[in-house]
Amino acid sequence: MSANKRKNLNAMEEDLESGSDSETSSDNEDDGPHPEAYTGNEEVQIDFEGRSPTDPDCHGISQLLQRVFLKAHINTMQMADMIIAQNFVGSVICQCEADGMESDADDDMCEDGTIFGITTALNITAKKDVPCVEQFRSFIVQKAEKYAPDAVLKHFRDVLGNEARPIGYLINERFINIPAQISVPLLENLYKEINAAKQKGMPFNFVYFLMVIKFYRKEAKKGKPREDTYTNAEEELIAEKAVNSFEYSVADECDMGMSGDWLEGDATLTPFRKVVLFDAKNLPELIFDIQKYVNGQ
């Protein structure tokens, strides 16, 4: 389906156990770090491929969606089932089948069937009566009511309430530190599949895309400006192209593993979400900009 991409995966979201024996530790006079302690410098080489979602991917997709919504009342398993049911649109990132001895190290880090990412779009206008989509739409409006300026809130309400102008919920989720380069073939493939679906009369003729983007904020301090770091680097470009957006902190909903403190030497960062709307017709231009960005142009 989409082209295979070989990438380095740094600092995977895994707890690496030292496996130390208590009796051995008591005899060890070295007070330095354990030789197997995770310091964030490890590098794992993995072959990735994009393919259509299938039924066994449901749990993995649901877990990726839960990272976006955290404690929100949204049925992510049902949403994952919807993503799989429209198997003509969207891709999951999974590990390629490896041959030979090189696969042993990868198998220690990744369970068989692990879903590393999902890139797809759901029609949240045509599917507004499906419970998980209804929950999602209500969630967006509630957050806008609480955090968005009045003009932004009105725009989101108007857009969500206009059934003549369909909205696609663009999902672009993956494990932390999988390089942004992988987003280019996935988004290109999504764009092609959406066009193919439209030509077949399927409900993918979107006017807007809506995204929920994850980022972390380091507040201004000692004369230094505020700094935002996007979990998926390419989404900073998408946020810049938004016709409207609002943001909110999720610090109270995250555990330590999600707050940016799990890597040795990390600064304290506050996790945020940014809800953005952008014109669907601008997707090709965005993909082109992302490609230049990830290639360092």
Side-chain angles (χ1 to χ4, degrees), residues 1 63 84 93 136 139 181 186 190 201 214 223:
M1 184 171 144
Q63 286 184 319
I84 293 167
I93 307 171
F136 173 70
F139 168 79
Q181 286 90 336
L186 292 172
L190 177 64
K214 304 194 303 292

Side-chain angles (χ1 to χ4, degrees), residues 280-294:
K281 66 178 181 291
N282 290 340
L283 184 57
E285 178 185 346
L286 277 171
I287 296 171
F288 179 73
D289 289 342
I290 290 169
Q291 187 170 32
K292 290 196 298 182
Y293 170 76
V294 300

Side-chain angles (χ1 to χ4, degrees), residues 65 79 83 118-122 169-173 210-211:
L65 294 172
M79 190 171 285
I83 289 169
I118 173 73
T119 299
T120 192
L122 287 175
Y169 169 36
L170 182 58
I171 302 169
N172 182 51
E173 293 302 318
L210 183 150
M211 290 187 72

